Amino acid sequence: MKIVASNKKAFFNYDIIESMEAGISLLGSEVKSVREGRVSLKESYAEIKNGEVFLLHANISPYEPANRFNHEPLRDRKLLLHRREIKRLIGKIREKGLTLIPTKVFLNDQGKVKVELSLARGKRTYEKKQALKERDLEREVRAELKKRLR
């Protein structure tokens, strides 16, 4: 498994409840661009429309050699999930404050492009500040331990 892109901001802005793997419907030039690692998931999210899941605002940069046959970088892309998985997601999303966000884009062992889709709840400002404090404290402890081991 080769991780092509990850959404690091998602782990800071959201509490990840559960994750699942989904296929993604791409054009040929998009697949080649993904293999080069030219993907950004910064402000992307997934939405369920008419019983289908779509990835919105994911930026896959144009593939230069494709010239006029290139794709639109910010187009909506269909995610491939089983019907029962989609129904389960619909039930979970109806809960207050839950959203679907992509956390990783990767190539599996067969070379297929997959997306790790996570069910998440948004963090409040004070929770984000607490996470920053904990991270700083942990960094200081590691630095102190490193100093003492010398």
Side-chain angles (χ1 to χ4, degrees):
M1 184 171 89
K2 177 187 172 194
I3 297 174
V4 179
S6 65
N7 190 352
K8 294 177 184 173
K9 271 292 210 204
F11 294 99
F12 179 71
N13 291 329
Y14 298 95
D15 282 326
I16 306 298
I17 297 169
E18 75 178 74
S19 297
M20 66 176 52
E21 185 178 307
I24 184 168
S25 179
L26 298 173
L27 301 174
S29 61
E30 289 175 322
V31 173
K32 291 182 178 196
S33 190
V34 166
R35 287 181 192 276
E36 287 183 349
R38 301 180 61 179
V39 183
S40 174
L41 297 174
K42 277 190 178 166
E43 295 179 9
S44 61
Y45 61 95
E47 195 172 85
I48 300 175
K49 299 176 188 173
N50 300 327
E52 297 178 331
V53 183
F54 290 92
L55 182 63
L56 308 172
H57 301 291
N59 187 0
I60 299 178
S61 299
Y63 182 64
E64 291 303 319
N67 57 45
R68 68 180 187 164
F69 300 107
N70 236 322
H71 60 275
E72 186 182 325
L74 291 173
R75 76 179 185 92
D76 298 349
R77 294 169 180 90
K78 185 177 177 181
L79 295 178
L80 309 172
L81 292 164
H82 291 285
R83 187 174 293 129
R84 68 178 180 277
E85 291 175 322
I86 295 172
K87 285 181 180 178
R88 193 172 61 80
L89 285 176
I90 289 171
K92 297 255 185 180
I93 288 176
R94 285 192 179 139
E95 288 182 35
K96 186 180 175 201
L98 293 182
T99 187
L100 280 173
I101 53 168
T103 50
K104 287 183 207 163
V105 174
F106 60 93
L107 298 169
N108 70 0
D109 299 333
Q110 290 88 29
K112 307 247 190 239
V113 179
K114 301 285 183 176
V115 176
E116 184 180 78
L117 203 59
S118 297
L119 201 58
R121 176 174 281 117
K123 284 185 183 177
R124 297 211 164 79
T125 309
Y126 66 88
E127 292 172 327
K128 292 179 190 178
K129 288 179 183 177
Q130 184 67 32
L132 286 173
K133 286 178 187 176
E134 289 173 5
R135 191 183 321 151
D136 289 342
L137 184 64
E138 187 177 313
R139 189 179 296 131
E140 289 172 11
V141 167
R142 269 189 277 136
E144 193 65 35
L145 284 172
K146 190 175 179 181
K147 226 185 258 185
R148 287 188 181 182
L149 290 175
R150 286 184 184 176

